[in-house]
Amino acid sequence: MIDQEVLDSQIKADRFPFPSKGDIREHTIRTTTTITTEHVDLISSKPFEKTVKDLTAELGKASTEKLMDRLSASDSWDAYAAECADFAGRSNLIEVGYLNWGKVLTLSGKAMKARCYIVGNPLTAQKLLAAGGPAVGLYLPTKLFVFEDADGAVHVSYDKFVPIMAPLGIPDLDKVARAIDGVLEKLATAAIAAESPK
């Protein structure tokens, strides 16, 4: 049974809490766009930890705080671009963080191996934003997900940029997105590739 008093209080709490002329919803413009993407899922030839090690070996490393601090301290784009280039790894990408979802689930009682890597490069972001405008910033940085499934197979997965950017219909943006997809493919392939015989 619904408690009418609780329901009434929730309805009142749902109103915009700050003073305004009329209801804020009268002035809100909302658009909804359906974006399709291509999800790439590769199976590694190696165990989870080795796949993770080989993935991170391709990446540079710098926290978002460090990148933004350097941006604030830079007096020119060229100076900042040079610093970002120094942070990038062999893949030209920088790991700005990772989320150990496997540890989260393992701590809660269900063993899992899964890590989500947040990767990007301000130099690439600048090209995407310049070509596509500020709305593109929602998709930066991007992610790669490494996980072991119930059968013990190790996956490296990511979403392609080209289908996400295509609805904007901007050829220059599509060109940058294709280049990023190529970098992501090389990175994921390096992570899953079998080791060369010695």
Side-chain angles (χ1 to χ4, degrees), residues 74 130 184:
S74 295
L184 291 173

Side-chain angles (χ1 to χ4, degrees), residues 23-162:
D23 190 324
I24 189 70
R25 286 173 281 200
E26 293 172 14
H27 307 289
T28 300
I29 298 173
R30 177 198 299 236
T31 59
T32 302
T33 306
T34 300
I35 296 174
T36 58
T37 189
E38 291 178 35
H39 181 73
V40 178
D41 186 73
L42 305 172
I43 305 293
S44 180
S45 60
K46 298 170 284 197
F48 177 81
E49 293 300 340
K50 179 61 174 157
T51 302
V52 162
K53 182 179 179 184
D54 289 351
L55 174 70
T56 57
E58 298 295 315
L59 299 168
K61 193 164 186 170
S63 67
T64 54
E65 291 81 10
K66 182 182 257 187
L67 290 171
M68 294 302 101
D69 285 349
R70 296 291 173 92
L71 179 60
S72 296
S74 295
D75 55 7
S76 73
W77 170 251
D78 290 341
Y80 184 61
E83 291 197 56
C84 290
D86 287 343
F87 288 135
R90 290 190 295 249
S91 64
N92 263 344
L93 291 172
I94 302 166
E95 176 195 331
V96 296
Y98 80 92
L99 301 162
N100 193 339
W101 294 133
K103 179 87 173 190
V104 168
L105 210 60
T106 300
L107 278 174
S108 69
K110 183 174 173 65
M112 178 182 282
K113 293 180 180 178
R115 291 186 193 169
C116 184
Y117 288 87
I118 303 161
V119 301
N121 186 321
L123 306 183
T124 307
Q126 184 272 338
K127 291 175 186 171
L128 281 166
L129 292 162
V136 173
L138 176 63
Y139 303 99
L140 306 173
T142 192
K143 298 179 293 230
L144 281 94
F145 191 47
V146 184
F147 67 96
E148 184 178 280
D149 68 21
D151 297 322
V154 176
H155 301 247
V156 176
S157 60
Y158 63 94
D159 290 338
K160 286 188 170 185
F161 263 78
V162 167

